[in-house]
Amino acid sequence: SSWLKWQQNPDADGYNIYFGKDPDKLYGSIMVYGDNEYYFTGMDRADAYYFQIEAFNANGISPRTETIRVE
């Protein structure tokens, strides 16, 4: 498991968290509303995971963060 935390964007309604086991294949996603943290429990102990986060609101989406590796 991994606790993901990021800086809150005051204009954001929520965030999309993208994840996967390869930095070029972030096919999983989680939507978080009104919070700037998420406890991710879907990890396998033997594998590294990669994450990116983007903010969204009624006007659209932000650019994604840089890819972060978690072991």
Side-chain angles (χ1 to χ4, degrees):
S1 298
S2 182
W3 193 260
L4 305 171
K5 296 181 181 185
W6 56 91
Q7 186 167 346
Q8 182 108 17
N9 181 332
D11 297 326
D13 292 333
Y15 302 90
N16 291 316
I17 302 170
Y18 297 96
F19 64 92
K21 293 183 180 183
D22 184 297
D24 296 323
K25 298 178 182 176
L26 303 180
Y27 298 144
S29 66
I30 300 162
M31 191 175 287
V32 177
Y33 282 95
D35 210 346
N36 64 325
E37 58 187 23
Y38 183 79
Y39 188 63
F40 183 72
T41 59
M43 296 176 73
D44 294 327
R45 180 178 295 209
D47 297 326
Y49 282 75
Y50 298 86
F51 296 91
Q52 285 183 319
I53 300 171
E54 71 184 9
F56 65 85
N57 63 19
N59 295 318
I61 58 173
S62 71
R64 291 185 186 187
T65 62
E66 291 186 32
T67 304
I68 299 167
R69 178 186 166 115
V70 177
E71 292 188 43

